[in-house]
Amino acid sequence: MCDAVSNQSTPIEDQLQQVAKDVSAVQDRIVGKENLLNSKYRDTIKGYKEATDRLVLLEAKLSDVSSSVESQTQDLAQITAALNSTKKTIKEKGKSMTDMSPLVEIKTILQSVNAEIKDLDTRIGVMVSRVSLLF
């Protein structure tokens, strides 16, 4: 039985050796094609890597610039608020400076005080005259 197995194993070994040769040949062709593709697209791969590296740098710069813009936008909002407040204050002061109603009120009051002073002077004069007639 050993002879029968060894007789059958010889053709199987031959077939396995043939399959191994075929696989080796296919593997050599694959390696050859891989090397060909690598050499053919080496510059493209290098360019892609450089572009990817540049993209990372540009994204970092974009992040920095975005944060700077955000900070400057906040500063602008604060400055605008201060400007509006200052404009309002100036407008109110300008309005009060051109508002003549307090001056008109003071003038009217001064006229009435002067009229009362004249009236009191007249009364004092009459009283002095009466008092001097009594003595």
Side-chain angles (χ1 to χ4, degrees):
M1 178 163 170
C2 226
D3 289 333
V5 171
S6 69
N7 286 340
Q8 286 185 345
S9 67
T10 305
I12 292 174
E13 284 179 11
D14 291 341
Q15 289 176 348
L16 287 176
Q17 286 177 356
Q18 185 60 37
V19 168
K21 286 180 187 177
D22 291 344
V23 167
S24 178
V26 169
Q27 185 179 10
D28 289 343
R29 283 186 17 207
I30 290 173
V31 168
K33 294 227 179 197
E34 183 180 358
N35 289 337
L36 177 68
L37 289 173
N38 284 339
S39 66
K40 184 177 180 181
Y41 293 109
R42 181 172 290 130
D43 293 337
T44 304
I45 292 169
K46 184 179 177 185
Y48 175 76
K49 183 172 177 6
E50 290 172 358
T52 304
D53 293 343
R54 187 167 180 238
L55 176 64
V56 169
L57 290 175
L58 290 175
E59 285 176 342
K61 284 183 182 179
L62 175 65
S63 176
D64 291 344
V65 169
S66 294
S67 65
S68 175
V69 167
E70 184 177 322
S71 173
Q72 290 176 357
T73 301
Q74 291 173 352
D75 291 346
L76 177 62
Q78 291 174 350
I79 291 170
T80 302
L83 176 64
N84 288 337
S85 174
T86 305
K87 282 182 178 180
K88 183 179 177 183
T89 303
I90 290 172
K91 187 176 181 179
E92 288 174 359
K93 286 188 178 190
K95 188 176 184 181
S96 68
M97 288 169 53
T98 59
D99 186 15
M100 300 300 279
S101 61
L103 293 176
V104 170
E105 288 179 28
I106 291 172
K107 186 177 179 182
T108 305
I109 291 171
L110 282 175
Q111 287 174 348
S112 68
V113 166
N114 285 335
E116 287 179 19
I117 289 174
K118 284 181 185 179
D119 187 41
L120 286 174
D121 280 342
T122 306
R123 285 185 181 178
I124 290 172
V126 169
M127 291 299 241
V128 168
S129 164
R130 283 189 183 170
V131 169
S132 64
L133 286 176
L134 289 174
F135 291 117

